Amino acid sequence: MAVNDGLSGAQAGAGTQGDERPLQEVVFQEPDFFRDPYPAYARLRSEAPVWWCEEQSAWLVSRYEDVRAVLLDAQTYSNRPHQGLYGPYDDDNAGSFFLKDQPEHTAWRRIFTGGGGFSAAAMKACRDVMEEICADLIAKLPAGDIDAVRDISVPLTAGFLARLYDLPADDAPWVEAITDFYHPGTAELTPTLLAYFEDLVKKRREAPGHDPLSKAVLANDSKGPLLTDQQMAWNFHDLVLAGAASMYAAIAESVAVLAENPETQDSRHWESSEAAERSTEEILRWLEHSHWLFRTATVDVELGGRRIRAGDGVFPLIASANRDDDVWGNGSELDLGRNAGVPNLAFGYGPHIAVGAMVARAFLATMLPILVRARAPFRLGGVPERVLGNGVSTPTTIPITPADES
């Protein structure tokens, strides 16, 4: 089963498709670019796999092996913010381990992951909770038209993470910020969110539970503490909200992929846990919510035949890497039967791989079979809407309607 290349929900001919302009004239930050960036990514892989982009003042790295090498080598390619890209995150006092280098990154990350809250064993234990939440919400969906964002992805994300972290799912600042996290509007909410999470640190210290946030507070306190309460609040902010934003986008876009490609709703792709996991990995490879990450070279280094200087910005294009024909054979085709020999980079790779990657993967592999059994066949009921920019495509509306079974 194969489907022609294209961004989920993109209109034919949008973005750079068929665009023969020199790469120097392609504006990689404009919203129209993200409507269908894959032809430009293919040109980069073919013509200039490591390419200096004046617009970004950074190197664009587009081939899978080069992207994976950058993500794996945290000493050569720093995760520290490049040229103020992250605004308030550039301040050392922000204290987010997401943006730290070794050895701080490992020491801080272990505070939040050392308790085993994100391990394979923990996710296996969460399967029943995932199935319960997904089955309950999907069973209550209206019979007619729905919005995959409003009716499925946001309530599922909030409901599950509320259970995982023992947080309120209703009328809480963190829930309101889920859909805006990767875009400028969320900056206005940051002071309120930080106050909320700093108060949460104190509450979990006074009355700890068995959730990952409580375990993180106890682990930090046992080390001195290593982090201040303000730094813990920043890390809670990023751990909960970055994870929630990525998870909700992955859920919504996965539903869009199924709706656009009826073959993917065939029960054989979802009839066993092995089939569901394989299909989920292919969908994650295909859809890409985050198009690139940010790194800064710490030393002069050669990559793809180009000389990168210390201090240069480096953008590993994970969406491009996930379509690389040299790795996937037919990277521009969606094939749920694909037995990939290498991991996709949907949630990053190496020491900075997303903490919640295993959570999101397990949740999608649980939710999608339930949705297919309950709702197939279905299709898009209109044109999806997304907020596009800064390397991220975030869905705001994905209309879904029942399909004619004939």
Side-chain angles (χ1 to χ4, degrees):
M1 188 264 311
V3 180
N4 287 336
D5 193 3
L7 180 65
S8 176
Q11 299 302 298
T16 60
Q17 189 166 5
D19 191 343
E20 297 300 327
R21 291 179 299 171
L23 286 171
Q24 291 87 343
E25 297 180 14
V26 176
V27 182
F28 288 86
Q29 278 283 34
E30 65 184 0
D32 279 349
F33 171 78
F34 292 105
R35 299 188 192 282
D36 186 9
Y38 297 102
Y41 292 159
R43 288 183 59 197
L44 283 171
R45 291 193 303 271
S46 174
E47 301 172 21
V50 178
W51 181 68
W52 178 256
C53 178
E54 290 289 349
E55 174 203 351
Q56 302 283 19
S57 295
W59 295 93
L60 305 187
V61 182
S62 53
R63 288 181 179 169
Y64 180 93
E65 293 300 339
D66 291 335
V67 169
R68 190 165 70 163
V70 169
L71 297 180
L72 193 59
D73 188 353
Q75 288 189 321
T76 301
Y77 302 98
S78 169
N79 200 47
R80 298 284 295 175
H82 170 59
Q83 297 184 350
L85 284 166
Y86 290 96
Y89 292 81
D90 292 343
D91 185 350
D92 283 340
N93 292 325
S96 173
F97 78 81
F98 286 57
L99 302 176
K100 295 293 183 182
D101 287 329
Q102 309 293 15
E104 280 184 313
H105 174 262
T106 297
W108 290 26
R109 183 178 175 119
R110 282 177 180 162
I111 289 173
F112 299 90
T113 62
F118 301 98
S119 66
M123 289 308 97
K124 186 176 181 179
C126 280
R127 284 284 189 167
D128 288 345
V129 174
M130 293 178 182
E131 290 180 3
E132 172 196 334
I133 291 172
C134 293
D136 182 62
L137 182 136
I138 290 170
K140 294 176 180 178
L141 289 172
D145 296 347
I146 58 172
D147 177 358
V149 174
R150 180 195 64 216
D151 299 321
I152 298 178
S153 67
V154 170
L156 281 181
T157 299
F160 174 69
L161 294 185
R163 292 277 289 273
L164 178 66
Y165 294 126
D166 191 18
L167 295 171
D170 301 314
D171 193 28
W174 73 274
V175 177
E176 297 174 12
I178 289 175
T179 56
D180 296 325
F181 181 78
Y182 284 111
H183 300 285
T186 193
E188 300 175 3
L189 299 173
T190 299
T192 299
L193 290 165
L194 288 177
Y196 172 82
F197 284 116
E198 192 163 353
D199 182 59
L200 187 63
V201 171
K202 294 179 173 63
K203 289 179 178 178
R204 295 298 161 93
R205 179 178 293 119
E206 295 167 359
H210 300 289
D211 60 280
L213 301 184
S214 293
K215 291 178 180 178
V217 171
L218 296 178
N220 183 57
D221 287 353
S222 72
K223 296 180 183 295
L226 180 62
L227 307 183
T228 66
D229 281 5
Q230 182 186 27
Q231 289 171 325
M232 289 294 290
W234 267 108
N235 282 282
F236 278 13
H237 172 277
D238 284 6
L239 188 66
V240 174
L241 289 179
S246 295
M247 186 170 170
Y248 115 80
I251 292 171
E253 294 290 13
S254 294
V255 176
V257 170
L258 296 180
E260 289 181 300
N261 305 291
E263 304 95 326
T264 63
Q265 298 175 40
D266 191 304
S267 62
R268 73 180 187 278
H269 297 305
W270 309 102
E271 61 190 1
S272 68
S273 59
E274 293 80 8
E277 289 170 5
R278 181 178 62 245
S279 298
T280 296
E281 287 303 309
E282 175 67 356
I283 288 174
L284 285 170
R285 179 192 73 84
W286 178 259
L287 59 86
E288 266 317 330
H289 153 60
S290 177
H291 282 255
W292 58 62
L293 299 173
F294 307 92
R295 297 291 187 267
T296 303
T298 60
V299 296
D300 290 359
V301 62
E302 185 171 306
L303 182 69
R306 302 300 300 272
R307 190 70 175 171
I308 297 174
R309 301 295 182 185
D312 283 354
V314 179
F315 288 14
L317 305 180
I318 54 178
S320 172
N322 278 341
R323 301 290 183 97
D324 189 341
D325 287 340
D326 288 343
V327 173
W328 309 103
N330 54 345
S332 59
E333 295 182 351
L334 175 67
D335 181 2
L336 298 197
R338 185 189 304 275
N339 287 305
V342 296
N344 70 64
L345 308 179
F347 296 109
Y349 190 76
H352 289 281
I353 190 171
V355 170
M358 203 170 293
V359 177
R361 285 185 154 102
F363 195 89
L364 284 170
T366 301
M367 183 276 292
L368 292 173
I370 295 173
L371 180 69
V372 168
R373 288 195 294 268
R375 303 288 297 198
F378 53 89
R379 59 178 175 80
L380 285 179
V383 179
E385 296 180 7
R386 296 171 173 84
V387 178
L388 305 162
N390 201 29
V392 175
S393 171
T394 302
T396 55
T397 300
I398 297 180
I400 301 295
T401 195
D404 185 351
E405 294 193 58
S406 61

